[in-house]
Amino acid sequence: MEKGSQSLKSLKFYIHTFGCQMNENDSERLSGILQAEGAQTSDSLDESDLVIINTCAVREKSEEKFFSYLGRLDSLKKRKNITIGAVGCVAQLYQSQLLEKKPIIDFVLGPDNYHLIPEIIQCHHGDKFISTKWNQKWHEIPQNLTYRENRISAYVTIMEGCNNFCSYCVVPYTRGREKCRPKQNIIQEVKDLAKKGYKEIQLLGQNVNSYKDPETGKEFPSLLKEVNRIEGIEWIRFISSHPKNFTQNIAIAMKEAEKACHQLHLPIQSGSSSVLKRMNRGYTKEEYLEKIVFIRKLMPDMCLSTDIIVGFPGETEGEFQETLSVLKDVGYANIFSFRYSPRSHTKASREKNAIPFKEKRRRLIELQAFQRNIQLDHNRSLINSVIKVLCLGKSKKDSLIYAGRNEGNQVINFKSKKDVIGQFVDIRITSCGPYSLIGEIAP
Ligand code: SAH
Ligand code: SF4
Ligand code: F3S
């Protein structure tokens, strides 16, 4: 960091975000904190004085993306006096090693330390800085210090951290133990967003269904009920749900809250109870499927999505086939699928019976091709129906093409002569692919 670069007033900054929605929301907070001190966002790396990289460690590939991005900053740093900060999950995981191994980095901040950013820029002239402490309790960053570019749909973090220690997952080591945000702060933030005209709220946490208000002990259904009462907000979503914590009461609360979208991301990870046990997931395939039956009985139009890991250590061909059969039985509208990737600190990374890379790749390709057909069938069944869509943006290539999402969180591209960004519109579905729907404004 250059000596004397302490003022934030004329500082231009650029944030590059990897990873999940929570990282995106964290970047919105970092941006808001810096702007409140007079700094300005910049779209151009070349014009920036400060570059913050918000990192993700969930898979090897996520980490590699960060290191290759860092490599690209080398030439910029040689040309210009810029400050480079690594924040987020990789920062938390490797801490001081990052500063030692990557001299290009000036500071390292873990996810619980973002409030320190103005102080670092103002006070640590030229010194390297690191803070990766975890707070025991929720640390509230005033909500007016979140800068959102999206004016229609807003992320609202309700809890952070994870106590589940799935045997493959690094997140408990990057985000620490579960901490819940006081309900009144969440409600205040959502009310404020409603006043600003936001239509959709996405409640975020690593394990949202284990939410418990630290002040009253009230659980997720009560939070959902209160958010549902806030005027102006029309759609509520939440992510991620853990099947172990997704109770019948939560399904009932979803049905009763008319603004809760009939959409649920419920990561199963594997369709084999034996693999699930080795993953330390805390449910069997049968228990998971029973939950799906209960949910669908209550809300037959529920649109489901999931996460799958293929090639977990010791996964047999038969166990893999069981996963395919669950995909068929449930009929997910969308899945996120990954090759198992060994992560530091985790129990699974110490297992000896690794599946060879080629085999993991073959399973992933087979699974994705299998799911592609399920999605095509599902999407084809929607052709000619009229669907309510929240328009979220416009195509960059064709000014008549708009993009939005339906209640099921599926992407819909449609033609419109009028600008309908931010509005709910009725769209007649005319064609589809496996990953999106195409339509036109219904007369
Ligand atoms: N808290 C959320 C999300 C966790 S990370 C949840 O529990 O659902 C998102 C997804 O990444 C996980 O659901 C899992 O499918 C995948 N994932 C996590 N660790 C992984 C690993 N080591 N290898 C491959 N995929 C992994
Ligand atoms: Fe990781 Fe499991 Fe926690 Fe999700 S529930 S963040 S997969 S440890
Ligand atoms: Fe990645 Fe951290 Fe999110 S590891 S998935 S950015 S919680």
Side-chain angles (χ1 to χ4, degrees), residues 162-166 168-172 206-207 242 269 281:
C162 186
N163 299 345
N164 288 319
F165 292 93
C166 299
Y168 52 80
C169 185
V170 78
V171 171
Q206 269 80 37
N207 192 12
H242 191 300
Q269 312 297 357
R281 287 292 286 177

Side-chain angles (χ1 to χ4, degrees), residues 399-402 414-420 425 440-441:
S399 62
L400 292 180
I401 304 284
Y402 289 78
F414 60 95
K415 262 197 179 141
S416 171
K417 290 194 180 111
K418 256 191 351 193
D419 184 343
V420 287
V425 279
E440 58 197 20
I441 301 252

Side-chain angles (χ1 to χ4, degrees), residues 18-23 55-58 89 170-171 174-175 206:
F18 293 102
C20 62
Q21 292 95 333
M22 187 170 282
N23 258 17
T55 61
C56 172
V58 75
C89 291
V170 78
V171 171
T174 67
R175 292 276 173 177
Q206 269 80 37

Side-chain angles (χ1 to χ4, degrees), residues 58-59 168 206 240 267 269 307 309 338-341 343:
V58 75
R59 285 170 291 276
Y168 52 80
Q206 269 80 37
S240 266
Q269 312 297 357
D307 290 347
I309 297 176
F338 313 100
R339 273 189 315 257
Y340 166 74
S341 163
R343 308 307 296 129

Side-chain angles (χ1 to χ4, degrees), residues 5-162:
S5 65
Q6 44 298 50
S7 169
L8 280 173
K9 283 279 183 286
S10 56
L11 184 105
K12 284 196 173 158
F13 69 91
Y14 183 95
I15 305 182
H16 190 94
T17 307
F18 293 102
C20 62
Q21 292 95 333
M22 187 170 282
N23 258 17
E24 284 178 35
N25 190 218
D26 286 345
S27 291
E28 292 172 339
R29 292 186 211 204
L30 277 163
S31 177
I33 296 172
L34 286 167
Q35 289 188 63
E37 300 285 334
Q40 291 160 27
T41 55
S42 165
D43 292 334
S44 146
L45 267 177
D46 276 314
E47 285 169 14
S48 305
D49 313 297
L50 165 67
V51 178
I52 298 174
I53 315 161
N54 196 356
T55 61
C56 172
V58 75
R59 285 170 291 276
E60 254 168 312
K61 237 188 181 169
S62 337
E63 234 177 74
E64 282 163 12
K65 279 189 199 159
F66 158 58
F67 288 114
S68 93
Y69 186 80
L70 204 57
R72 282 194 271 140
L73 294 182
D74 259 342
S75 61
L76 182 65
K77 184 119 176 168
K78 280 188 193 118
R79 271 187 281 128
K80 230 187 131 195
N81 245 323
I82 50 165
T83 302
I84 296 179
V87 308
C89 291
V90 179
Q92 182 69 45
L93 203 61
Y94 297 121
Q95 309 197 1
S96 56
Q97 280 178 42
L98 263 189
L99 287 181
E100 287 154 21
K101 293 202 173 130
K102 299 285 171 189
I104 185 177
I105 299 175
D106 296 294
F107 66 88
V108 164
L109 283 185
D112 251 5
N113 298 266
Y114 298 155
H115 55 287
L116 298 175
I117 193 108
E119 187 192 318
I120 296 169
I121 310 297
Q122 282 159 343
C123 309
H124 290 268
H125 328 135
D127 309 333
K128 301 262 172 181
F129 183 84
I130 177 162
S131 183
T132 50
K133 284 193 284 290
W134 272 331
N135 300 315
Q136 296 289 318
K137 281 194 185 150
W138 181 263
H139 182 96
E140 183 75 16
I141 291 180
Q143 28 144 327
N144 57 346
L145 295 185
T146 303
Y147 171 76
R148 294 177 168 91
E149 271 181 19
N150 187 328
R151 303 261 144 219
I152 305 155
S153 175
Y155 294 131
V156 176
T157 299
I158 65 166
M159 59 86 66
E160 192 186 351
C162 186

Side-chain angles (χ1 to χ4, degrees), residues 194-195 197-200 229-235 259 424:
K195 264 197 216 134
Y198 281 87
K199 296 281 182 283
E200 180 184 82
R229 278 203 291 263
I230 297 171
E231 237 172 272
I233 299 300
E234 297 195 39
W235 276 357
K259 294 176 185 173
F424 286 96

